[in-house]
Amino acid sequence: MGNVTVIGAQWGDEGKGKIVDWLASRADVVVRFQGGHNAGHTLVVGDKVYKLSLLPSGIVRGTPSVIGNGVVLDPWALKAEVEKLSAQGVVITPDVLRIAETCPLILPIHRDLDALREDASGAGKIGTTRRGIGPAYEDKVGRRAIRVCDLAHLDELDPLLDRLCAHHDALRAGFGQPATDREALRAELSEIAGFVLPFAKPVWRDLDVAQRAGKRILFEGAQGVLLDVDHGTYPFVTSSNTVAGTTGPGSGMGPSAAGFVLGIVKAYTTRVGSGPFPTELGDETGQRLGERGHEFGTVTGRKRRCGWFDAVLVRQSAAVSGITGIALTKIDVLDGFETVKICTGYRIAGRDYDYLPPHSFDQERLEPVYEEMAGWEGTTAGARSWADLPAQAIKYVRRIEELIRCPVALVSTSPERDDTILVRDPFAG
């Protein structure tokens, strides 16, 4: 039995929460390795709905969970999320949750800067969640971040604050804002330190011990491959690498840690916020997909843009992230459509493309090339075996496999955890 990495293979919101929850019951450890509390995972367990942003999805099942060093951590958001889940009956202790001592912190000045930039960007807005994710990652690579381990050494914080404020105060002045209130920041950190520090551990060591003992480690990605800062639809991306190769550096493990890479893919396509979307439907069909799929962002509440399945983009995601197999979700949303379409290529000024050109000028001009298939009668909702699916729905799944050049490992047919068709067990390799 090996490790499994779960990533979104579109623009996020593919239904990773349910799949991770389904796998977490068979994992020994669940690890978040990138992103921050801009992610949103919804878990449905019995009659309870849990909405997570920062905590690994395994926490709901009591599976030991790790927030790796590749995550940027808002300690106040962490506290609020722990308190919310505790009120729902989820027990979260340092025995269950461990946080890398080297996680960079998201501070109030990061949230300020995120909002100031977005408000001043005019037509250049990229639709950030304004939660400070990008500025926190900037400070990490700029070597001026305050990290979890610094909370245990607040008396030695002055050199860090000097570096941090030298950068931020210049930016704040440019936006007409006052300099950072260093004492207020120090007081806020002092107040939250007591909550965070009991969870702080050398998680790289814990994961090394688990790996050597043959434990099953489940890596949980946030956002989606098309939001990767290198491989996504730049600049409308997140500020971290979301591809599977990030599991090692984001957790303190080696490059072979990822194991079986499971790409989560919706049976259609959605996107939140700005950026290119070749198959977007602004008509009644798009509205129907959104209503049936309840397409609103878990974190922001923003309405998601909807469109037909784009095999070109998923094939690209599978290639750059080394996806072993996909989990196809929300196929039940397509129940009842007379016809369904799959994008198989793009055309720009008479020239055909089998990939998404990287420049926005080309992306704005492209036209999707569609393959149309008959829809299916009956329902896929709640199906737990191939025999429960209409024949035409199976044809749709098989055609997706052919076009993206990647096999289906799981099919999810409702938000319920057990409404899943298992084709290939990711933990079996």
Side-chain angles (χ1 to χ4, degrees):
M1 304 294 276
N3 297 343
V4 174
T5 295
V6 175
I7 58 171
Q10 293 161 309
W11 279 293
D13 306 310
E14 303 95 348
K16 291 187 294 297
K18 171 195 167 170
I19 302 299
V20 171
D21 176 53
W22 189 83
L23 290 167
S25 64
R26 302 167 60 232
D28 298 303
V29 186
V30 180
V31 184
R32 272 284 307 274
F33 58 90
Q34 52 76 220
H37 64 307
N38 54 341
H41 295 160
T42 300
L43 308 182
V44 179
V45 181
D47 60 352
K48 288 190 175 182
V49 177
Y50 302 95
K51 293 184 180 293
L52 310 181
S53 295
L54 182 59
L55 293 169
S57 296
I59 205 81
V60 170
R61 298 276 175 184
T63 306
S65 299
V66 169
I67 295 177
N69 56 275
V71 174
V72 283
L73 181 83
D74 184 322
W76 299 278
L78 172 71
K79 186 172 186 289
E81 192 166 324
V82 167
E83 290 174 345
K84 181 180 72 173
L85 287 181
S86 297
Q88 291 185 274
V90 179
V91 178
I92 302 174
T93 68
D95 291 328
V96 177
L97 175 65
R98 296 190 170 204
I99 300 172
E101 298 168 311
T102 51
C103 270
L105 298 180
I106 298 174
L107 306 173
I109 54 175
H110 295 133
R111 296 194 295 269
D112 292 345
L113 182 58
D114 207 355
L116 289 167
R117 282 175 171 167
E118 191 76 350
D119 289 340
S121 293
K125 286 183 179 180
I126 60 175
T128 78
T129 58
R130 297 171 179 255
R131 298 195 169 200
I133 311 295
Y137 272 117
E138 290 176 39
D139 281 348
K140 173 184 176 178
V141 298
R143 295 168 294 179
R144 52 182 172 265
I146 294 176
R147 304 184 299 172
V148 168
C149 57
D150 294 312
L151 295 176
H153 299 275
L154 292 177
D155 290 340
E156 289 81 42
L157 204 59
D158 283 335
L160 286 174
L161 288 175
D162 288 343
R163 284 203 302 275
L164 187 70
C165 294
H167 176 77
H168 279 268
D169 287 352
L171 294 174
R172 292 174 67 87
F175 285 110
Q177 299 298 308
T180 305
D181 188 334
R182 292 171 58 141
E183 292 311 309
L185 176 58
R186 190 194 298 271
E188 288 181 283
L189 290 171
S190 179
E191 184 178 355
I192 199 67
F195 176 81
V196 176
L197 285 175
F199 299 104
K201 305 291 179 183
V203 301
W204 63 268
R205 186 183 63 185
D206 297 336
L207 293 173
D208 182 58
V209 170
Q211 179 86 337
R212 291 177 184 278
K215 301 290 188 181
R216 291 168 294 189
I217 302 174
L218 177 62
F219 294 97
E220 177 182 9
Q223 292 89 38
V225 173
L226 297 175
L227 293 174
D228 184 277
V229 70
D230 287 311
H231 301 289
T233 48
Y234 192 90
F236 302 100
V237 294
T238 193
S239 298
S240 61
N241 287 110
T242 61
V243 293
T246 313
T247 55
S251 64
M253 300 190 72
S256 63
F260 187 106
V261 180
L262 184 65
I264 315 301
V265 180
K266 263 180 188 162
Y268 51 102
T269 311
T270 62
R271 177 166 199 171
V272 172
S274 305
F277 187 167
T279 65
E280 182 174 12
L281 298 171
D283 58 8
E284 183 180 333
T285 300
Q287 184 175 348
R288 182 180 177 187
L289 288 171
E291 290 174 353
R292 295 196 63 183
H294 305 289
E295 297 297 351
F296 295 90
T298 301
V299 170
T300 64
R302 289 181 291 183
K303 185 178 179 181
R304 296 177 186 137
R305 302 152 64 190
C306 298
W308 294 118
F309 186 86
D310 193 329
V312 183
L313 287 179
V314 176
R315 183 170 64 241
Q316 194 165 324
S317 292
V320 300
S321 205
I323 292 174
T324 313
I326 68 165
L328 191 69
T329 67
K330 304 189 85 165
I331 192 172
D332 54 301
V333 173
L334 298 180
D335 289 352
F337 279 84
E338 289 187 13
T339 59
V340 290
K341 294 181 180 181
I342 301 174
C343 176
T344 60
Y346 307 128
R347 189 165 293 138
I348 304 175
R351 178 183 172 186
D352 291 334
Y353 286 79
D354 63 356
Y355 67 96
L356 182 69
H359 200 280
S360 59
F361 178 72
D362 294 323
Q363 293 170 354
E364 290 171 2
R365 296 187 302 148
L366 65 78
E367 298 177 6
V369 177
Y370 285 115
E371 179 178 302
E372 190 169 304
M373 300 179 66
W376 49 87
E377 296 180 359
T379 181
T380 63
R384 298 185 181 183
S385 72
W386 285 118
D388 296 332
L389 294 179
Q392 196 60 36
I394 295 175
K395 289 182 181 179
Y396 181 73
V397 175
R398 294 306 187 198
R399 185 56 180 150
I400 285 176
E401 286 183 308
E402 292 173 358
L403 290 169
I404 68 174
R405 302 169 190 162
C406 191
V408 168
L410 300 166
V411 180
S412 171
T413 58
S414 91
E416 294 295 332
R417 180 174 178 265
D418 293 328
D419 289 342
T420 304
I421 300 171
L422 177 63
V423 182
R424 179 181 176 185
D425 184 352
F427 276 120

